[in-house]
Amino acid sequence: MISGWKMRADMVLRRLRPLWLLLLFAAAPAWAFDLNELMGLLAKRKQGEGTFTEQRYVHGLEGPLSASGTLSFVAPDQMTRRTLTPRPESMVVDGNNLTLTRGNRTRSMSLDSMPELLGMVEAMRGTLSGNGAVLQRYFRSTLKGGSADWTLDLEPIDDRLSAQVASMRLSGKGGEVLGVEMEFRGGDRSVMTIVPQRNGAVGPMQAPAGRTTP
């Protein structure tokens, strides 16, 4: 009789086992995509090129100001932005050196002398190179989504940077940054869309509708 009871109990346990496993996995927290994992994906890309389109919404102006051009990055600290429309100009960052060129005029300076710009540059370089320590030096970060589609919200903690920039949002897929949004103090806003270069071909570059930057 005892043997028969054990057999029935074993049968019941075998039948309930799949249900227990289902309940166990349902109750377990989902594996969270965190900043370290994102930085690891981004750090795999040692260099990159692409095109950008940008719309700048200026408080008091009707319609956005538009610009477009190319971007390039070489880890860990070289970054170039070349604006092609509405007029040619470039910004080249190499380490702590910044070089601005517009027409026949070129100006060079150290990023240390412009802490507000340094923070914005480090936000881009830190993300592109997968350097989370640099990001955390200047920003509080909030990561949403997963590796296939993520957004990284950055809030400045440096007082001088915070006086100019309210927030930044970078978005992307995997190890690629595809968008940058910036909210400035005073109501201005910038929205940039990036099309990475793949297989030696840069995606089509089209300036968004709106006014061109004067």
Side-chain angles (χ1 to χ4, degrees), residues 4-187:
W5 180 86
K6 287 183 177 180
M7 290 178 61
R8 287 194 296 272
D10 288 342
M11 291 178 61
V12 172
L13 289 174
R14 284 197 295 269
R15 292 174 180 174
L16 290 178
R17 188 174 299 157
L19 179 60
W20 289 347
L21 292 174
L22 178 63
L23 293 175
L24 176 63
F25 283 107
W31 183 264
F33 181 61
D34 60 18
L35 185 62
N36 288 334
E37 189 173 355
L38 173 59
M39 292 296 106
L41 289 175
L42 293 164
K44 294 178 181 179
R45 298 179 63 86
K46 301 304 180 183
Q47 63 182 34
E49 297 181 1
T51 62
F52 75 87
T53 56
E54 182 182 34
Q55 292 180 300
R56 179 73 177 262
Y57 299 85
V58 179
H59 182 68
L61 292 182
E62 183 177 352
L65 305 176
S66 301
S68 61
T70 64
L71 296 170
S72 63
F73 173 76
V74 178
D77 56 9
Q78 296 181 16
M79 185 171 65
T80 301
R81 167 181 163 140
R82 300 191 186 279
T83 301
L84 302 178
T85 63
R87 61 171 176 266
E89 58 185 37
S90 67
M91 180 184 75
V92 179
V93 179
D94 188 355
N96 190 47
N97 298 315
L98 170 67
T99 302
L100 301 173
T101 301
R102 177 180 293 180
N104 296 323
R105 295 178 298 174
T106 298
R107 180 185 178 190
S108 297
M109 66 197 77
S110 68
L111 287 172
D112 288 340
S113 66
M114 303 181 67
E116 301 85 357
L117 183 58
L118 173 61
M120 290 186 283
V121 168
E122 292 292 38
M124 283 297 299
R125 289 197 301 196
T127 303
L128 290 169
S129 64
N131 192 333
V134 169
L135 284 180
Q136 293 173 345
R137 187 184 309 161
Y138 294 94
F139 300 92
R140 282 185 289 270
S141 61
T142 302
L143 179 62
K144 300 177 183 177
S147 60
D149 191 2
W150 52 266
T151 58
L152 180 63
D153 292 320
L154 302 175
E155 180 183 352
I157 56 179
D158 179 85
D159 291 339
R160 291 168 295 186
L161 178 59
S162 180
Q164 303 293 327
V165 179
S167 65
M168 297 181 65
R169 167 172 287 185
L170 295 97
S171 56
K173 297 180 183 297
E176 293 182 328
V177 178
L178 303 178
V180 182
E181 299 182 31
M182 300 181 63
E183 298 279 352
F184 298 91
R185 301 296 182 188

